[in-house]
């Protein structure tokens, strides 16, 4: 089913003209109401009337996380506080978080877009949906919540943590769809097994996963573990939260809600816009946000766009599964490595569990990477020689795919810390 045929199947020419009209409105809005944007535009000599075509978006300044931090908390808001109905924040790793705000109309649009995403994933008003994102400042839980409500699903607002209780809720309430991070969902399955419950018997048919990068191999693992359809959805607080894009499952990639977001892909080094079909950093301009309109937000997420027709009938462009963030990309002895590439190698080796971490350090002047990965219970024989041989085999696989030498350390099952939110798997301890 398609939630909003009128917009999701819009004729692309009509979409372009809607986007242009909304882009002009957004630019005028920030120019007139947000001193930071007026100053940034004045600096490059661009005025709202210079935006005549969609291609003119490249005349506008980029926004990045520092801009939000520097204008903390309300400096970029384009409406008086009275009109802001909700605040969310994304926890910064250092210092202040970034704060985002929503007017009534923003909240209404947000739940509409979530309704599109969850419908795309196959959720209906018959489903019982357990939300395992933390209810709080994070956009994940409340974002999904109101869209699911719109669709008419029964929501179990379990929030994050208390994993054993989550399993009980699934059993007792008859949960049919699970919302959370892919990594936490793996953990849930593991805890279920520990309680003597096969996750498959819980009867969850759909997983709605997002908020962190995960590979196709991880999808296969989750689908096998839960006997579910594991779907991907994408978003970020700065432009709204979840609901920016979602998967229909008919063709690869996530449909981007282009009637609300103008997307570009740029070369992260030069900032140059790249043609559709080239891999690069996703940049998003909001087209309908009232409280916090954002021009050309540099997401740091690496993806590829396609405007090819989709078998589902939606005309909205798709973004490929996110490869990783530019700031998560490791440069090991001059070779660029995304953690997702290592994940793919590991997940395709029999005998390894989907729990790993990557440690990077210096040995003298040289970069040195160690990959630690847990064994499955079946593989954990405790025979030292078997393990050594197995480590060598994995090391060889990583070398053949990525061209880098690393150390592989096999760990006992369930020995790495489990995450309840976004998994932290990379520890780069090199001196900065
Ligand atoms: O994670 C919003 C969200 C919540 C999306 C729930 C989906 C589901 P932030 O905390 O601001 O917002 O983090 C945004 O998370 O720039 C990506 O790097 C990453 N991310 C989000 N969704 C995906 C995904 C939420 N499906 C940052 N695949 C983004 C890969 C994702 N990375």
């Amino acid at each position: 089913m398609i939630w909003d045929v009128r917009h999701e199947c819009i004729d692309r020419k009509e979409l372009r003209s809607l986007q242009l009209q909304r882009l002009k409105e957004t630019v005028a809005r920030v120019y007139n109401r947000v001193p930071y944007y007026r100053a940034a535009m004045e600096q490059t000599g661009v005025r709202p009337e210079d935006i005549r075509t969609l291609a003119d978006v490249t005349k506008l300044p980029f926004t990045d996380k520092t801009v939000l931090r520097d204008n903390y908390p309300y400096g970029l808001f384009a409406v008086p506080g009275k009109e802001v109905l909700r605040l969310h924040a994304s926890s910064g790793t250092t210092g202040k978080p970034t704060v985002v705000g929503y007017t009534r109309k923003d909240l209404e649009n947000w739940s509409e877009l979530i309704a599109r995403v969850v419908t795309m994933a196959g959720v209906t008003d018959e489903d019982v949906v357990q939300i395992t994102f933390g209810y709080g400042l994070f956009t994940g839980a409340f974002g999904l919540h109101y869209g699911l409500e719109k669709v008419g699903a029964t929501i179990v607002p379990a929030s994050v943590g208390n994993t054993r209780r989550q399993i009980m809720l699934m059993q007792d309430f008859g949960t049919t769809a699970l919302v959370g991070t892919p990594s936490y969902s793996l953990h849930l399955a593991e805890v279920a097994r520990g309680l003597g419950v096969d996750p498959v018997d819980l009867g969850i048919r759909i997983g709605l996963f997002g908020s962190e990068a995960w590979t196709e191999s991880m999808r296969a693992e989750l689908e096998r573990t839960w006997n579910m359809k594991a779907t991907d959805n994408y978003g970020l607080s700065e432009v709204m939260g979840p609901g920016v894009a979602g998967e229909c499952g008919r063709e690869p990639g996530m449909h981007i809600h282009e009637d609300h977001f103008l997307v570009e892909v740029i070369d992260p080094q030069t900032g140059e816009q790249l043609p559709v079909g080239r891999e690069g950093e996703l940049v998003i301009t909001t087209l309908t946000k009232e409280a916090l309109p954002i021009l050309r937000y540099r997401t740091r997420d690496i993806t590829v766009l396609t405007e090819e027709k989709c078998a589902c009938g939606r005309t909205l462009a798709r973004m490929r599964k996110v490869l990783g963030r530019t700031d998560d990309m490791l440069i090991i002895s001059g070779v660029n490595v995304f953690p997702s590439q290592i994940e793919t190698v590991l997940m395709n080796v029999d005998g390894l569990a989907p729990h790993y971490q990557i440690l990077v350090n210096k040995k003298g002047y040289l970069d040195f990477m160690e990959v630690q990965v847990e064994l499955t219970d079946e593989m954990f024989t405790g025979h030292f020689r078997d393990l050594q041989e197995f480590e060598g085999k994995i090391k060889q696989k990583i070398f053949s795919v990525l061209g880098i030498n690393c150390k592989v350390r096999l760990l006992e099952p369930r020995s790495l810390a489990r995450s309840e939110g976004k998994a932290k798997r990379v520890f780069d301890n090199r001196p900065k």
Side-chain angles (χ1 to χ4, degrees):
M1 194 200 138
I2 297 178
W3 178 257
D4 180 353
V5 175
R6 157 97 188 77
H7 292 104
E8 293 178 78
C9 303
I10 191 171
D11 170 71
R12 287 200 67 81
K13 230 171 109 197
E14 195 190 329
L15 172 69
R16 292 288 174 216
S17 86
L18 179 66
Q19 285 184 311
L20 180 59
Q21 173 213 326
R22 290 180 167 177
L23 177 66
K24 287 180 178 172
E25 283 163 13
T26 298
V27 172
R29 187 175 186 86
V30 296
Y31 190 82
N32 294 323
R33 298 185 181 209
V34 184
Y36 166 81
Y37 277 123
R38 177 182 284 246
M41 286 173 64
E42 274 171 356
Q43 210 170 29
T44 50
V46 196
R47 297 182 55 84
E49 52 274 24
D50 296 330
I51 306 301
R52 291 193 198 93
T53 68
L54 285 175
D56 290 331
V57 71
T58 55
K59 295 180 179 161
L60 298 168
F62 286 120
T63 308
D64 63 17
K65 222 178 175 73
T66 15
V67 174
L68 279 114
R69 282 222 185 94
D70 294 348
N71 289 282
Y72 177 86
Y74 301 143
L76 296 181
F77 282 27
V79 294
K82 198 167 150 285
E83 288 176 36
V84 176
L85 267 72
R86 175 106 62 82
L87 296 174
H88 279 288
S90 84
S91 49
T93 35
T94 49
K96 299 279 191 202
T98 50
V99 179
V100 296
Y102 306 77
T103 63
R104 190 177 298 283
K105 182 85 187 116
D106 291 336
L107 290 176
E108 174 55 28
N109 284 336
W110 195 9
S111 32
E112 271 294 315
L113 299 192
I114 294 290
R116 290 187 194 175
V117 166
V118 302
T119 305
M120 246 187 266
V123 171
T124 70
D125 56 3
E126 307 267 347
D127 279 295
V128 178
V129 189
Q130 190 157 327
I131 298 182
T132 69
F133 284 128
Y135 277 74
L137 287 172
F138 177 53
T139 53
F142 281 104
L144 266 301
H145 184 105
Y146 290 105
L148 283 162
E149 202 169 85
K150 196 161 233 209
V151 167
T154 306
I155 300 168
V156 184
S159 201
V160 73
N162 212 338
T163 309
R164 284 164 163 255
R165 197 187 56 160
Q166 301 265 8
I167 307 298
M168 185 194 80
L169 295 177
M170 287 177 189
Q171 282 178 313
D172 296 352
F173 295 177
T175 302
T176 57
L178 178 62
V179 170
T181 57
S183 54
Y184 185 56
S185 306
L186 278 178
H187 180 45
L188 275 166
E190 196 172 54
V191 170
R193 283 203 198 94
L195 294 169
V197 179
D198 184 340
V200 167
D201 294 335
L202 290 167
I204 295 188
R205 58 182 203 98
I206 302 175
L208 295 127
F209 299 127
S211 176
E212 65 184 14
W214 55 305
T215 57
E216 285 300 337
S217 313
M218 182 67 91
R219 189 205 304 268
E221 176 77 24
L222 283 161
E223 295 197 324
R224 200 166 43 237
T225 304
W226 290 93
N227 187 27
M228 62 161 49
K229 185 170 96 177
T231 65
D232 196 4
N233 67 89
Y234 171 86
L236 60 157
S237 328
E238 290 80 359
V239 305
M240 189 172 77
V244 174
E247 245 176 10
C248 66
R250 293 294 295 276
E251 311 255 358
M254 293 177 274
H255 287 286
I256 304 170
H257 298 133
E258 293 175 284
D259 47 336
H260 293 265
F261 304 101
L262 182 65
V263 290
E264 307 165 67
V265 163
I266 61 161
D267 176 330
Q269 248 82 51
T270 62
E272 284 296 307
Q273 197 187 70
L274 298 172
V276 170
R278 289 271 303 278
E279 179 178 286
E281 178 181 348
L282 184 69
V283 168
I284 304 179
T285 300
T286 65
L287 296 176
T288 52
K289 283 287 289 295
E290 291 182 339
L292 186 62
I294 295 279
L295 301 184
R296 305 191 83 200
Y297 188 74
R298 292 196 56 164
T299 65
R300 297 181 185 262
D301 295 318
I302 301 293
T303 190
V304 179
L305 300 177
T306 173
E307 290 179 0
E308 273 166 34
K309 266 213 161 83
C310 185
C312 73
R314 290 177 184 80
T315 49
L316 300 176
R318 281 167 287 143
M319 59 185 275
R320 194 188 63 188
K321 215 164 176 12
V322 173
L323 176 64
R325 294 178 56 82
T326 50
D327 38 10
D328 280 347
M329 187 183 79
L330 295 163
I331 304 180
I332 313 274
S333 309
V335 181
N336 296 351
V337 182
F338 280 100
S340 60
Q341 295 173 298
I342 296 178
E343 178 174 301
T344 302
V345 175
L346 298 177
M347 305 274 299
N348 287 303
V349 177
D350 282 342
L352 296 182
H355 301 285
Y356 65 94
Q357 61 184 26
I358 301 164
L359 311 177
V360 190
N361 218 325
K362 282 253 181 222
K363 250 192 181 171
Y365 291 109
L366 298 178
D367 294 327
F368 179 75
M369 179 170 82
E370 177 172 315
V371 176
Q372 301 185 340
V373 56
E374 288 181 14
L375 290 164
T376 57
D377 283 313
E378 301 77 59
M379 196 66 194
F380 185 59
T381 60
H383 293 304
F384 184 67
R385 194 210 290 249
D386 293 351
L387 291 186
Q388 251 189 335
E389 225 171 77
F390 196 30
E391 279 177 354
K393 199 175 120 195
I394 300 161
K395 186 179 143 133
Q396 192 50 43
K397 279 213 162 179
I398 293 176
F399 183 80
S400 69
V401 175
L402 300 170
I404 44 172
N405 260 309
C406 66
K407 180 175 162 51
V408 172
R409 229 179 97 200
L410 295 171
L411 306 175
E412 272 184 44
R414 290 169 292 281
S415 53
L416 288 173
R418 302 293 190 248
S419 82
E420 293 192 332
K422 297 182 196 251
K424 172 142 179 69
R425 298 194 174 102
V426 179
F427 300 87
D428 192 342
N429 299 318
R430 287 174 289 190
K432 292 280 170 310

